């Protein structure tokens, strides 16, 4: 039973978020500005998974790191549980981090090679529950490892002794330690074998059912996004071009770029695949300069600019 | 499918996952790689032997190193004085044994000082960045512009001739190397994703530096420290040779060479033994340092 995302107050509300990088000229003077993310707005409701899809360099990860203030946005507001994170001082932001967690793409790089995984998973408790007794903390860590499907006896081992899927489970165990309300999952399965991907996605889903966590699920795996997410935002050149319920987005894509993106998924059927490639070649090129403001074309289905040229 | 094959999340785990193998921890694995290297083990054995010799000098040395025997002046090696005696009748063997205290003590102490100063400054420069980084790095650049030994001699002369001051002078001269190394290592580690993960979980900057970055730069610092001990031993010998280190009649390999240079043709044993001792100590620390570097190389980690 999947709890229906409530229509109540959104958990996370992003408005007009932009991330700009000033480009310097070769003599060090001020050049133009690279707009990695431009004027992006979306909400995430409690218990909901919002998918964020787009090609490489479209600004997916930049948004993930901006809403968690790891790389704060240049402009816009990120309201989490009613607080504008961009206005918090570092100390207050560290306290909020008990409620917002992150799962990274590369589980090989996201673990400290010199820290036992028991210490690693215990870190949230040390930081946010300073009064917790050592024995209690150890019990919590063992419970978390068991929860993500690892042997609790692994706690004294080091990251290099684990496979990619196991390491991602360790990262997830740490992320759910404090029962956060929101997790940004930045391509959490992209670095894993296909056989392991489903296990990790199922784990994320089970944890959502159990703890009511909301996810921002960043991925370029369109089929996994449809499977996991209630709503999907399509990102292109740093802007959202389409935002809709997963079913209506996949069944009725309105923006030309969304159609191109969905049309780029190979089909395991030679006849259909040949037709797909033929259609793809015929698709009109889309100019990123034409991305306009989002317009609601159907209830809950938002499309940028002029969707029917 | 049996129930036991299911993980708590209802997903079948790969069959290999629940098997606990007795894999060695990182320290045990490092030790295995270190002991597999013959030259490193030779270095380690000599280093340990020299340290034992310095610690237990009172029991090992056959004579008091500053007692003079006017009946045996510049006597060649024989059964009474296996390494011979010097120009005032000191037993050379006893002075070599006690001289290890000055040499190893100076090597270890000065490098400990250099690490104690260099690590925090390098950490601040590499992690905080900005104007602090700028200030610290320009200062170390200025220090690095002066050759190591010249700087040590200048500092020792400024502080006044004594073994303690020589140690301080060598330590300060070696500090800039550690600042630079620490900064470069910190910058490399700070770019790793686990540091960002540490921030994401709410670590304050000081804890990221101490718990996540420092443990990952210790190997590089350890290798550099071991190799710098060798350089510091030479520096101490040089300062003592110049009269800026250990003061006579207290023994030091460097000051023994200083006296011996006047009697090279008449009493070569006065120069050979301290020279051999310096050579052996420096060689041992260099072999050990190279072995540590190979054993700690992260690219060879499983």
């Amino acid at each position: 039973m999947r709890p229906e995302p409530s229509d109540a107050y959104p958990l996370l509300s992003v408005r007009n978020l932009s991330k700009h990088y000033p480009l310097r000229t070769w003599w060090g003077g001020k050049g133009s500005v690279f707009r990695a993310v431009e004027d992006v707005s979306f909400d995430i409701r409690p218990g909901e998974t919002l998918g964020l899809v787009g090609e490489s360099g479209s600004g997916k990860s930049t948004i993930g790191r901006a809403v968690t203030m790891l790389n704060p946005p240049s402009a816009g507001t990120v309201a989490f549980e009613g607080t504008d994170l961009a206005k918090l001082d570092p100390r207050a932001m560290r306290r909020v981090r008990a409620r917002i967690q992150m799962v990274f793409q590369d589980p090989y790089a996201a673990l400290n090679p010199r820290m036992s995984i028991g210490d690693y998973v215990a870190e949230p408790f040390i930081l946010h529950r300073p009064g917790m007794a050592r024995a209690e903390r150890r019990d919590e860590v063992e419970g978390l490892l068991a929860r993500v499907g690892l042997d609790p006896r692994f706690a004294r081992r080091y990251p290099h002794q684990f496979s990619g899927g196991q390491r991602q489970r360790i990262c997830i165990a740490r992320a759910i330690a404090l029962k956060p309300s929101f997790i940004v999952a930045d391509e959490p399965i992209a670095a894993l074998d296909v056989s392991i991907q489903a296990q990790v996605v199922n784990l994320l889903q089970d944890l959502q059912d159990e703890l009511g966590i909301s996810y921002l699920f960043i991925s370029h795996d369109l089929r996994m996004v449809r499977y996991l997410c209630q709503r999907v935002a399509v990102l292109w050149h740093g802007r959202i071009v389409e935002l809709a319920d997963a079913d209506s987005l996949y069944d009725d894509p309105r923006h030309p770029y969304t159609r191109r993106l969905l049309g780029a998924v190979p089909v395991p059927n030679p006849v259909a695949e040949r037709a797909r490639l033929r259609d793809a070649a015929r698709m009109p090129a889309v100019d990123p300069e034409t991305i306009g403001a989002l317009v609601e074309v159907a209830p809950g289905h938002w499309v940028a600019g002029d969707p029917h040229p | 499918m049996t129930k036991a094959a299911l993980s708590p999340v209802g997903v079948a785990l790969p069959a290999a996952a629940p098997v606990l193998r007795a894999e060695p921890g990182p320290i045990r694995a490092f030790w295995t790689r270190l002991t597999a290297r013959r030259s490193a083990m030779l270095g380690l054995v000599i280093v340990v032997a020299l340290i034992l010799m310095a610690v237990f000098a009172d029991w090992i040395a056959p004579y008091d190193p500053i007692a003079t025997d006017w009946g045996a002046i510049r006597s060649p090696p024989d059964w009474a004085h296996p390494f011979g005696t010097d120009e005032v009748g000191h037993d050379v063997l006893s002075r070599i044994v006690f001289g290890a205290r000055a040499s190893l003590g100076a090597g270890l102490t000065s490098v400990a000082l250099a690490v104690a100063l260099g690590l925090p400054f390098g950490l601040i420069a590499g992690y905080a960045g900005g104007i602090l980084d700028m200030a610290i790095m320009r200062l170390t650049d200025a220090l690095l512009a002066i050759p190591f030994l010249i700087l040590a001699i200048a500092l020792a002369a400024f502080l006044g001739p004594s073994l303690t001051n020589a140690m301080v002078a060598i330590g300060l001269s070696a500090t800039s190397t550690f600042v630079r190394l620490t900064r470069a290592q910190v910058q490399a580690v700070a770019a790793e994703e686990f540091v960002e993960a540490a921030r994401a979980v709410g670590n304050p900057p000081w804890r990221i530096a101490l718990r996540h970055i420092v443990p990952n730069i210790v190997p590089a610092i350890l290798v550099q420290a071991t190799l710098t001990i060798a350089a510091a031993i030479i520096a101490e010998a040089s300062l003592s040779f110049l009269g800026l280190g250990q003061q006579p009649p207290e023994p030091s390999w460097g000051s023994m060479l200083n006296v011996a240079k006047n009697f090279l043709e008449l009493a070569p044993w006065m120069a050979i033994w301290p020279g051999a001792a310096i050579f052996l100590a420096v060689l041992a620390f260099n072999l050990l340092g190279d072995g540590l570097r190979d054993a700690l190389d992260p690219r060879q980690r499983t």
Side-chain angles (χ1 to χ4, degrees), chain A residues 65 70 123 146-147 157, chain B residues 8-9 21 196 199 207 212:
Chain A
R65 291 157 42 86
L70 286 175
E123 211 173 26
R147 182 64 197 81
R157 297 188 164 200
Chain B
V9 292
R21 277 169 298 151
E196 182 150 59
R199 276 209 299 145
R207 199 168 187 279
H212 292 274

Side-chain angles (χ1 to χ4, degrees), chain B residues 139-230:
Chain B
L139 190 66
T140 58
D141 282 348
L143 284 173
L144 280 169
I146 312 168
F148 173 64
L149 199 54
I150 306 289
L151 183 60
I153 290 169
L155 279 172
F158 173 73
L159 293 167
S162 84
L163 185 61
T164 317
N165 287 346
M167 291 179 191
V168 173
I170 297 166
L172 291 177
S173 307
T175 300
S176 45
T177 318
F178 285 96
V179 175
R180 270 204 165 269
L181 175 71
T182 306
R183 175 176 177 269
Q185 290 283 321
V186 165
Q187 286 182 338
V189 173
E192 301 250 10
E193 204 164 46
F194 67 80
V195 173
E196 182 150 59
R199 276 209 299 145
V201 85
N203 274 288
W206 65 267
R207 199 168 187 279
I208 293 178
L210 295 183
R211 282 288 280 144
H212 292 274
I213 294 179
V214 167
N216 284 286
I217 66 171
V218 162
I221 303 286
L222 189 66
V223 169
Q224 183 63 38
T226 311
L227 296 172
T228 307
I229 288 173

Side-chain angles (χ1 to χ4, degrees), chain A residues 65 70 94 97 104 106 109-110 112-115 123 128 146-147 149 153-154 157 160-161 174 199 203 206, chain B residues 8-9 11-13 17 20-21 23 26 193-194 196-197 199-203 207 211-212 215-216 219 301-302:
Chain A
R65 291 157 42 86
L70 286 175
R94 284 203 292 274
R97 294 200 186 283
F104 291 90
D106 184 355
N112 183 342
R114 304 246 167 216
M115 209 179 221
E123 211 173 26
H128 298 286
R147 182 64 197 81
R153 288 174 293 172
F154 287 167
R157 297 188 164 200
H160 73 266
Q161 293 166 305
R174 169 153 114 154
Q199 294 179 11
L203 174 61
D206 291 342
Chain B
V9 292
V11 176
L13 287 171
L20 276 172
R21 277 169 298 151
E23 272 192 72
E193 204 164 46
F194 67 80
E196 182 150 59
R199 276 209 299 145
V201 85
N203 274 288
R207 199 168 187 279
R211 282 288 280 144
H212 292 274
N216 284 286
R301 226 180 284 148
T302 44

Side-chain angles (χ1 to χ4, degrees), chain A residues 269-291:
Chain A
N269 171 342
V271 179
E273 173 69 6
R274 192 168 295 171
R276 183 189 73 80
L277 289 174
R278 195 176 54 232
D279 292 348
R282 281 203 207 124
M283 268 187 212
V286 199
D287 182 2
E289 294 302 320
T290 63
I291 307 174

Side-chain angles (χ1 to χ4, degrees), chain A residues 121-132 136-138 140-141 144 173 176-178:
Chain A
V121 175
E123 211 173 26
F125 298 115
I126 294 168
L127 293 166
H128 298 286
R129 305 272 187 275
M132 189 182 259
E136 193 188 346
R137 203 159 62 213
R138 202 191 52 224
E140 287 278 354
V141 169
L144 283 166
I176 62 165
L178 297 168

Side-chain angles (χ1 to χ4, degrees), chain B:
Chain B
M1 195 178 285
T2 61
K3 206 174 170 131
L6 289 171
S7 77
V9 292
V11 176
L13 287 171
V19 180
L20 276 172
R21 277 169 298 151
E23 272 192 72
I27 294 175
R28 178 70 61 86
F30 152 72
W31 183 248
T32 312
R33 281 197 302 275
L34 184 67
T35 48
R37 275 156 234 273
R38 237 179 247 174
S39 60
M41 285 317 291
L42 180 66
L44 184 65
V45 166
I46 298 173
V47 165
V48 169
L50 287 172
I51 289 173
L52 289 177
M53 186 169 95
V55 170
F56 298 107
D58 290 300
W59 288 275
I60 294 168
Y63 298 92
D64 182 345
I66 54 173
T68 49
D69 180 358
W70 297 103
I73 285 181
R74 292 199 313 257
S75 77
D78 57 24
W79 287 114
H81 300 283
F83 285 9
T85 62
D86 67 9
E87 88 289 359
V88 288
H90 293 139
D91 177 51
V92 171
L93 174 59
S94 302
R95 288 178 75 75
I96 293 284
V97 171
F98 274 90
R101 284 187 175 173
S103 285
L104 296 184
L108 295 168
T109 313
S110 58
V111 170
L113 177 71
V115 172
L117 286 173
L119 191 70
F121 280 112
L123 206 55
I124 293 167
Y127 195 60
I131 193 113
L132 276 171
D133 180 28
M134 187 77 169
I136 292 171
M137 288 328 287
R138 292 301 79 77
L139 190 66
T140 58
D141 282 348
L143 284 173
L144 280 169
I146 312 168
F148 173 64
L149 199 54
I150 306 289
L151 183 60
I153 290 169
L155 279 172
F158 173 73
L159 293 167
S162 84
L163 185 61
T164 317
N165 287 346
M167 291 179 191
V168 173
I170 297 166
L172 291 177
S173 307
T175 300
S176 45
T177 318
F178 285 96
V179 175
R180 270 204 165 269
L181 175 71
T182 306
R183 175 176 177 269
Q185 290 283 321
V186 165
Q187 286 182 338
V189 173
E192 301 250 10
E193 204 164 46
F194 67 80
V195 173
E196 182 150 59
R199 276 209 299 145
V201 85
N203 274 288
W206 65 267
R207 199 168 187 279
I208 293 178
L210 295 183
R211 282 288 280 144
H212 292 274
I213 294 179
V214 167
N216 284 286
I217 66 171
V218 162
I221 303 286
L222 189 66
V223 169
Q224 183 63 38
T226 311
L227 296 172
T228 307
I229 288 173
I233 288 172
I234 294 188
E236 187 277 333
S238 307
L239 290 182
S240 293
F241 181 85
L242 296 172
L244 291 168
Q246 183 79 296
Q247 294 302 300
E250 293 297 327
S252 147
W253 298 342
S255 55
M256 288 167 80
L257 277 179
N258 182 28
V259 177
K261 74 175 190 300
N262 304 320
F263 306 98
L264 267 185
E265 286 174 30
L266 294 168
W269 57 88
M270 281 172 62
I272 288 169
W273 297 113
I278 294 169
F279 167 76
L280 200 64
V282 171
L283 178 73
F285 276 104
N286 275 326
L287 287 178
L288 183 60
D290 285 344
L292 284 174
R293 169 154 49 206
D294 293 344
L296 292 167
D297 191 337
R299 277 163 296 187
Q300 292 181 8
R301 226 180 284 148
T302 44

Side-chain angles (χ1 to χ4, degrees), chain A residues 86-138:
Chain A
K87 290 203 174 69
L88 292 181
D89 63 90
R91 186 180 291 266
M93 186 59 219
R94 284 203 292 274
R95 276 197 296 276
V96 174
R97 294 200 186 283
R99 314 272 308 139
I100 302 181
Q101 286 293 316
M102 193 140 183
V103 175
F104 291 90
Q105 171 174 7
D106 184 355
Y108 292 87
L111 294 173
N112 183 342
R114 304 246 167 216
M115 209 179 221
S116 77
I117 67 151
D119 286 345
Y120 195 77
V121 175
E123 211 173 26
F125 298 115
I126 294 168
L127 293 166
H128 298 286
R129 305 272 187 275
M132 189 182 259
R134 188 180 289 261
E136 193 188 346
R137 203 159 62 213
R138 202 191 52 224

